[in-house]
Amino acid sequence: LDYQHVQVPFEITLWIMLASLAKIGFHLYNKLPSVVPESCLLIFVGLIMGGIIYGLNDRSPPVMDSDIFFLYLLPPIVLDAGYFMPSRPFFENIGTILLYAVVGTIWNVFGIGFSLYGICQVKAFRLQDVSLLHNLLFGSLIAAVDPVAVLAVFEEIHVNEKLHILVFGESLLNDAVTVVLYKLFRSFCEMPTIKSVDVFAGVGKFFVVGLGGVVVGLSFGFTAAFTTRFTKDIRVIEPLFVFLYSYLSYLTAEMFHLSGIVAIISCAMGMKRYVEANISLKSHTTVKYFMKMWSSVSDTLIFIFLGVSTIGENHEWNWPYICFTVIFCLIWRALGVLVLTFFVNRFHVNTITSKDQFIIAYGGLRGAICFSLVFLLPDFHRKKLFIAATTVVILFTVFVQGMTIRPLVDLLAVKRKRESAPTVGEQIHIRFLDHLLAGIEDISGHWGQYYWKDKLEYFNSKYLQKILLREYDQPKSSIVLLYEKLERKHAIELAQAGQLGHGPAHPSFLSSDRTVITDQKLEDTPSHDVLDNMQEILARNLYRIRRTGPAYNRHTLPGDSEPTERAKEILLLRHKSL
Amino acid sequence: TSEQIEHLHRRFKQLSHDQLTIRKENFDSIPDLEFNPIRGKIVRAFFDKRNLRQESDGLADEINFEDFLTIMSYFRPIEMNMDEEQLDRFRKEKLKFLFHMYDSDHDGKITLQEYRNVVEELLSGNPHLEKESARSIADGAMMEAASICVGKMGPDQVYEGITFEDFLKMWQGIDIETKMHVRFLNVDTIAHCY
């Protein structure tokens, strides 16, 4: 037996195998995932595994190494989130998201830190030696909402798009703040005296970290787009570039102590548009599938390790401190959301209702990032207390809040995602409205949201597309893309119904199956059945969907249907060759 | 508010070169508007008598400041304390403005030709798109509109055009009252035109 030789890869593979088998197991029981979110079940499995290992070896099971988490497990999830982020709602709400992420996190950190310090002053709890600085440090790592946990829970409850993007965007962007505050307080812990200069340096550092992350991400993103311009002859490695450049952006940002999450998100969002235009259909599918697969594996592993690491001797159970931590987390988050929303609603027409506010406050789940950060703390004698408190908070938020959020969403009748198929007409109207508002803004001399958007589009079409796109002579607007997609589906549907011997000769929606089309008359004999079917087919995806709603779901890619898939591929190829 | 009116008045004076009325040519002097693909329609909307709440049809030749304000008022943001009925009226007003922009021959219906016109203008920014594709896109969209508004039609039925009620139905999914507004909060950023 040469176990030593293969030990490390063998164990890693076994863990991943266990995680995937657990996932299969859950989905076998149909009722279970609807009541209990998957993350809870995975933590539970982890707890069992940890218990078994503890029982067998009689020592603490392997704790998730922070390096492994930050370098290997977190990037795929963030990349997946950033790549499939619907950019239109994101940028429409960017002000609100930034406000929640930055100001909200700072509010939470200081609130939790100070109130816990107040608790420590009470003599009865025997916590005198936990200084203010330590409490603030703890506050900085526990206050941040975790994108992994939020994604895991929110994708199963389909709330309306705006709410989803608010919570989700906030959880992604608050990383910059967390990184700065955590590092700041940690360095303060080691310094003998703290001058006000240091505090200002900290504030300045925040801007550097955030903006630096964006800059790094965008530069890698554009380099990736540029590289894919030349990959026409070696299609096979195209997907690789997407992943390599994103990962590099993350690592580079981490190297410079900038925010890696912000970098990888800006990289993904920046390169998405150009890369998708440059790479082939198959590469596109490959990128999508691989991203989903990796993020799925990471996600599962994180939760299992969370469960495993809970068991063991790493904890010091000081119940008053722990309970107060949980309570303060909830209170401060609720207060923060209330106050910030009050400000937001004064400036925005599109108000955030109180139901939405409740969900935002309640959806502030903590997860694995807090856990890893607490393990990275320098070893001081109260570290185990913090570890215990973090564990309890995470378990509480994931189990209690995660499980109850779905019935609460139903109970409060929160506005749900609008389930409707994308139509060309809608796209046209939205585009029309965009131009109209930009025009009105020009006329009234007001530099508003649409003005900047227009300007950006102009810049994009004039400069960026020339450099980054391979076939510059065919930039296609989203209306045209959507229309082509629908028309392809129509052709396929007709072929399946046996009405087409071959694909239509030229991209004309109507001439293939209509005998007459005059200006005023529309004949409808095959087509209203086809229209009904088309609505069905529109739910299935073939190629470049420009969805008006969030498209990510950890378990399935948008649109999977086995039997028609192959037929579609064949027809698509045939159609393309015409 | 009075601040906003003052700002608009200043802007009006700029555009009209200190005269009392504006004509269509004055709009040409706005630099950024040139790149807008539907600027023809936007400028026409300012002179459209239906939007100016006048009884007649057709286009006015020139508008004064009061008319300018009337048009701008279509883009008011909604206020916090509006009730359902007011919101509904507001929404209808804005949609009517849009409808007039689509319906260029003032007959109260958007015909296939007018719709094609709209799509062609929208996509006119892209020089490489053939007219044929734009036309078929418009046809497809028209068919969708037909299916939303009328449902299943018999083989002999003729779909005349999109009336205002149908137009309302089509826009149901999009919250027009929150999207169609321009915020005049920032009085300082006045773009200059030469």
Side-chain angles (χ1 to χ4, degrees):
Chain A
L1 263 194
D2 192 6
Y3 187 57
Q4 296 299 93
H5 189 66
V6 297
Q7 180 178 13
V8 172
F10 196 76
E11 285 186 353
I12 294 177
T13 317
L14 271 185
W15 277 111
I16 299 181
M17 179 76 83
L18 169 73
S20 316
L21 287 175
K23 258 190 137 111
I24 299 182
F26 302 146
H27 286 280
L28 280 181
Y29 298 107
N30 279 333
K31 271 204 197 154
L32 208 50
S34 58
V35 172
V36 183
E38 227 182 67
S39 36
C40 300
L41 292 171
L42 287 171
I43 295 186
F44 198 60
V45 168
L47 281 172
I48 298 178
M49 284 295 309
I52 295 175
I53 296 181
Y54 190 62
L56 287 180
N57 286 351
D58 205 23
R59 62 177 174 80
S60 301
V63 163
M64 177 162 64
D65 189 7
S66 296
D67 268 349
I68 296 184
F69 174 69
F70 278 114
L71 291 181
Y72 300 116
L73 292 180
L74 187 60
I77 299 179
V78 183
L79 177 61
D80 178 41
Y83 199 78
F84 291 108
M85 174 96 75
S87 47
R88 205 195 157 94
F90 183 70
F91 284 113
E92 275 180 10
N93 291 308
I94 188 89
T96 321
I97 292 179
L98 277 177
L99 191 67
Y100 279 133
V102 176
V103 178
T105 314
I106 295 182
W107 167 283
N108 276 328
V109 167
F110 282 106
I112 295 178
F114 279 115
S115 33
L116 279 176
Y117 181 60
I119 294 296
C120 289
Q121 300 300 88
V122 176
K123 284 197 169 46
F125 297 144
R126 288 169 283 129
L127 289 167
Q128 300 287 64
D129 52 341
V130 186
S131 68
L132 175 63
L133 211 50
H134 284 144
N135 276 310
L136 282 176
L137 182 56
F138 181 61
S140 74
L141 62 90
I142 199 92
V145 178
D146 187 76
V148 178
V150 164
L151 191 58
V153 167
F154 266 75
E155 70 179 4
E156 291 170 9
I157 55 174
H158 298 291
V159 289
N160 67 63
E161 191 178 72
K162 180 167 169 216
L163 187 54
H164 189 129
I165 204 80
L166 279 177
V167 182
F168 189 53
E170 180 203 343
S171 66
L172 283 176
L173 292 184
N174 65 21
D175 178 59
V177 182
T178 311
V179 161
V180 169
L181 284 175
Y182 180 76
K183 293 210 167 107
L184 194 68
F185 287 131
R186 211 167 103 174
S187 55
F188 280 178
C189 279
E190 283 148 25
M191 284 172 12
T193 52
I194 303 169
K195 302 170 237 129
S196 53
V197 168
D198 298 321
V199 178
F200 282 124
V203 170
K205 206 164 166 223
F206 158 67
F207 284 107
V208 169
V209 164
L211 291 174
V214 171
V215 165
V216 167
L218 281 179
S219 39
F220 273 103
F222 287 143
T223 320
F226 189 65
T227 318
T228 52
R229 188 178 169 183
F230 301 107
T231 56
K232 194 155 159 208
D233 300 319
I234 27 169
R235 294 283 188 184
V236 190
I237 62 172
E238 270 176 348
L240 200 56
F241 282 118
V242 172
F243 294 112
L244 285 179
Y245 275 105
S246 325
Y247 197 42
L248 268 182
S249 73
Y250 181 79
L251 293 175
T252 315
E254 289 288 324
M255 184 168 72
F256 287 115
H257 295 290
L258 304 171
S259 166
I261 292 186
V262 172
I264 208 174
I265 292 174
S266 20
C267 180
M269 289 179 89
M271 77 172 158
K272 180 174 176 182
R273 214 161 143 181
Y274 307 105
V275 161
E276 287 200 351
N278 280 340
I279 64 180
S280 70
L281 171 60
K282 282 194 200 147
S283 306
H284 182 86
T285 316
T286 314
V287 165
K288 254 188 355 193
Y289 263 104
F290 259 94
M291 234 181 246
K292 293 287 178 193
M293 185 187 81
W294 260 324
S295 66
S296 200
V297 167
S298 282
D299 177 74
T300 322
L301 277 178
I302 287 177
F303 282 116
I304 289 199
F305 274 128
L306 256 180
V308 168
S309 312
T310 314
I311 311 284
E313 292 160 354
N314 287 326
H315 308 282
E316 179 193 330
W317 302 99
N318 184 320
W319 288 105
Y321 192 76
I322 295 177
C323 292
F324 275 107
T325 311
V326 174
I327 296 175
F328 284 135
C329 280
L330 288 173
I331 295 180
W332 283 104
R333 174 141 183 99
L335 278 179
V337 169
L338 270 175
V339 171
L340 285 177
T341 320
F342 176 69
F343 278 116
V344 167
N345 281 344
R346 288 180 66 192
F347 287 113
H348 262 262
V349 177
N350 212 350
T351 57
I352 304 178
T353 66
S354 44
K355 284 185 207 164
D356 286 348
Q357 284 175 37
F358 179 73
I359 298 292
I360 295 178
Y362 203 66
L365 303 177
R366 274 73 169 173
I369 293 189
C370 320
F371 201 63
S372 319
L373 283 179
V374 86
F375 273 105
L376 278 177
L377 281 177
D379 267 322
F380 60 100
H381 62 285
R382 281 294 184 165
K383 183 171 168 183
K384 294 199 174 178
L385 172 65
F386 288 159
I387 296 180
T390 315
T391 315
V392 173
V393 168
I394 295 178
L395 288 179
F396 179 81
T397 56
V398 174
F399 274 98
V400 174
Q401 286 178 253
M403 276 205 271
T404 54
I405 202 165
R406 175 182 281 235
L408 274 175
V409 163
D410 286 335
L411 196 66
L412 289 177
V414 174
K415 209 165 104 171
R416 292 299 192 100
K417 188 166 78 158
R418 192 167 57 98
E419 302 281 356
S420 62
T423 57
V424 179
E426 231 173 67
Q427 290 288 325
I428 293 179
H429 293 317
I430 293 181
R431 176 69 65 82
F432 191 82
L433 200 59
D434 276 346
H435 283 304
L436 172 64
L437 287 170
I440 297 285
E441 284 191 350
D442 288 333
I443 293 176
S444 66
H446 173 75
W447 284 354
Q449 184 187 39
Y450 290 95
Y451 177 79
W452 290 115
K453 196 146 77 120
D454 215 34
K455 276 261 175 276
L456 195 63
E457 275 304 315
Y458 177 65
F459 172 69
N460 173 45
S461 58
K462 241 192 142 194
Y463 302 111
L464 287 180
Q465 278 186 338
K466 273 197 206 146
I467 306 176
L468 298 175
L469 284 188
R470 182 181 316 132
E471 307 153 346
Y472 174 60
D473 36 288
Q474 284 289 321
K476 294 194 180 156
S477 87
S478 55
I479 296 180
V480 179
L481 282 177
L482 179 64
Y483 171 70
E484 282 181 357
K485 179 184 67 96
L486 290 181
E487 176 233 313
R488 264 199 283 271
K489 287 194 168 60
H490 178 66
I492 286 167
E493 174 64 10
L494 284 183
Q496 285 179 339
Q499 281 174 306
L500 269 183
H502 52 81
H506 69 101
S508 165
F509 194 83
L510 306 161
S511 55
S512 55
D513 62 328
R514 309 284 182 85
T515 46
V516 166
I517 174 144
T518 60
D519 274 3
Q520 301 283 344
K521 207 165 148 195
L522 291 177
E523 286 193 341
D524 267 299
T525 15
S527 60
H528 53 253
D529 292 298
V530 172
L531 265 181
D532 286 341
N533 286 329
M534 201 160 85
Q535 299 287 358
E536 259 172 45
I537 296 176
L538 285 175
R540 304 186 213 150
N541 161 21
L542 248 195
Y543 192 12
R544 297 163 193 178
I545 270 201
R546 195 217 185 232
R547 273 185 172 241
T548 51
Y552 33 80
N553 180 326
R554 189 51 59 71
H555 312 296
T556 56
L557 279 181
D560 268 350
S561 68
E562 299 285 325
T564 50
E565 204 69 354
R566 248 178 303 145
K568 280 185 195 172
E569 299 272 348
I570 299 173
L571 278 165
L572 186 63
L573 290 174
R574 221 190 294 168
H575 184 88
K576 272 202 126 171
S577 68
L578 284 170
Chain B
T1 65
S2 56
E3 212 181 64
Q4 295 169 354
I5 297 183
E6 206 187 288
H7 169 62
L8 283 174
H9 189 69
R10 243 179 293 151
R11 182 68 179 161
F12 185 81
K13 282 220 286 246
Q14 250 181 349
L15 283 175
S16 68
H17 304 292
D18 284 328
Q19 295 185 335
L20 281 175
T21 58
I22 302 187
R23 295 168 168 280
K24 275 198 201 150
E25 298 77 46
N26 295 99
F27 280 104
D28 291 335
S29 54
I30 304 175
D32 298 313
L33 204 54
E34 274 184 45
F35 302 113
N36 199 319
I38 57 170
R39 60 187 270 263
K41 286 204 151 47
I42 298 179
V43 174
R44 275 224 355 266
F46 271 84
F47 293 93
D48 192 336
K49 282 207 182 135
R50 291 175 297 175
N51 290 339
L52 296 173
R53 313 235 175 116
Q54 293 169 10
E55 289 308 317
S56 48
D57 259 354
L59 297 176
D61 285 325
E62 48 188 25
I63 54 174
N64 55 23
F65 182 57
E66 209 183 294
D67 300 323
F68 189 67
L69 270 188
T70 315
I71 304 285
M72 282 299 176
S73 71
Y74 282 106
F75 294 92
R76 254 189 331 212
I78 60 173
E79 280 125 42
M80 307 285 268
N81 46 6
M82 281 185 157
D83 57 12
E84 271 300 322
E85 201 189 296
Q86 276 179 317
L87 271 177
D88 198 40
R89 226 177 352 123
F90 218 63
R91 193 186 149 86
K92 280 220 174 87
E93 253 180 45
K94 298 194 187 226
L95 281 175
K96 208 148 187 98
F97 185 79
L98 277 176
F99 188 73
H100 290 156
M101 284 184 81
Y102 277 80
D103 180 23
S104 41
D105 61 2
H106 305 237
D107 61 355
K109 281 198 284 253
I110 304 177
T111 57
L112 188 62
Q113 190 51 43
E114 286 169 347
Y115 208 15
R116 277 187 187 157
N117 192 336
V118 169
V119 174
E120 270 170 29
E121 267 195 13
L122 262 184
L123 297 173
S124 63
N126 185 344
H128 303 280
L129 197 64
E130 304 117 28
K131 276 212 162 215
E132 192 58 46
S133 325
R135 186 170 299 178
S136 32
I137 291 175
D139 292 340
M142 194 73 176
M143 216 171 72
E144 280 170 2
S147 70
I148 296 176
C149 308
V150 190
K152 288 184 189 284
M153 299 200 303
D156 289 331
Q157 251 179 310
V158 168
Y159 188 54
E160 290 282 334
I162 308 177
T163 62
F164 186 54
E165 284 72 36
D166 298 338
F167 196 65
L168 281 178
K169 263 189 249 174
M170 276 165 58
W171 280 84
Q172 236 168 20
I174 312 173
D175 314 321
I176 188 88
E177 56 265 11
T178 50
K179 285 216 165 109
M180 183 166 152
H181 70 278
V182 175
R183 262 173 285 150
F184 293 90
L185 290 173
N186 208 340
V187 186
D188 295 329
T189 59
I190 303 178
H192 296 293
C193 62
Y194 42 81

